Amino acid sequence: MSKFKKASVVKGARVELHDVLGLSGAEISVNGLPAGACVPFVHSHRKNEEIYAITDGKGTAVIDGESVELKAGDWLRISPSAKRQFFASAEEGLGFICIQVRENSLEGYTMADAIV
């Protein structure tokens, strides 16, 4: 049995990788919003923080009522209880990866967890 799994994601599609890759410690989604579109709901979480990597385009995140401008290359961490919604700009779409993990669960960093 293989100890890895590979998947390909088409640009612009929303793909949740928990099933695709068999994730057991994180949820990762790849997202694309066309120009002028938004995530159609406001949400928060009970236990999981979210880390967003903006991969292309530009837009805005509204977090607890505060607007945060986003562009390719930006990274954003949001606490579980913060209410959030994402909007692509009117001129261009917004591409992003969302990594969702339990807040305060990281026990070791890179080499501290490595076996060399």
Side-chain angles (χ1 to χ4, degrees):
M1 180 173 188
S2 181
K3 293 185 180 181
F4 69 90
K5 197 163 187 181
K6 178 185 172 187
S8 294
V9 176
V10 177
K11 184 178 179 179
R14 175 170 167 77
V15 178
E16 293 181 353
L17 297 177
H18 62 273
D19 288 336
V20 175
L21 292 176
L23 301 177
S24 64
E27 168 61 291
I28 302 172
S29 62
V30 181
N31 304 270
L33 292 173
C38 69
V39 173
F41 53 86
V42 176
H43 77 286
S44 62
H45 290 277
R46 290 178 190 87
K47 298 179 181 179
N48 295 340
E49 65 186 7
E50 290 182 324
I51 302 99
Y52 290 88
I54 309 306
T55 57
D56 58 89
K58 62 182 181 176
T60 305
V62 177
I63 305 165
D64 285 341
E66 182 178 342
S67 291
V68 178
E69 296 300 317
L70 302 170
K71 65 181 182 332
D74 288 347
W75 285 81
L76 178 66
R77 182 229 177 239
I78 304 176
S79 295
S81 64
K83 293 182 179 353
R84 69 212 69 176
Q85 187 175 21
F86 288 79
F87 300 82
S89 75
E91 302 81 38
E92 61 183 293
L94 180 67
F96 58 95
I97 296 169
C98 177
I99 303 164
Q100 189 179 133
V101 295
R102 183 164 294 195
E103 187 177 43
N104 299 314
S105 65
L106 187 61
E107 294 179 0
Y109 298 85
T110 311
M111 288 307 292
D113 186 56
I115 301 169
V116 181

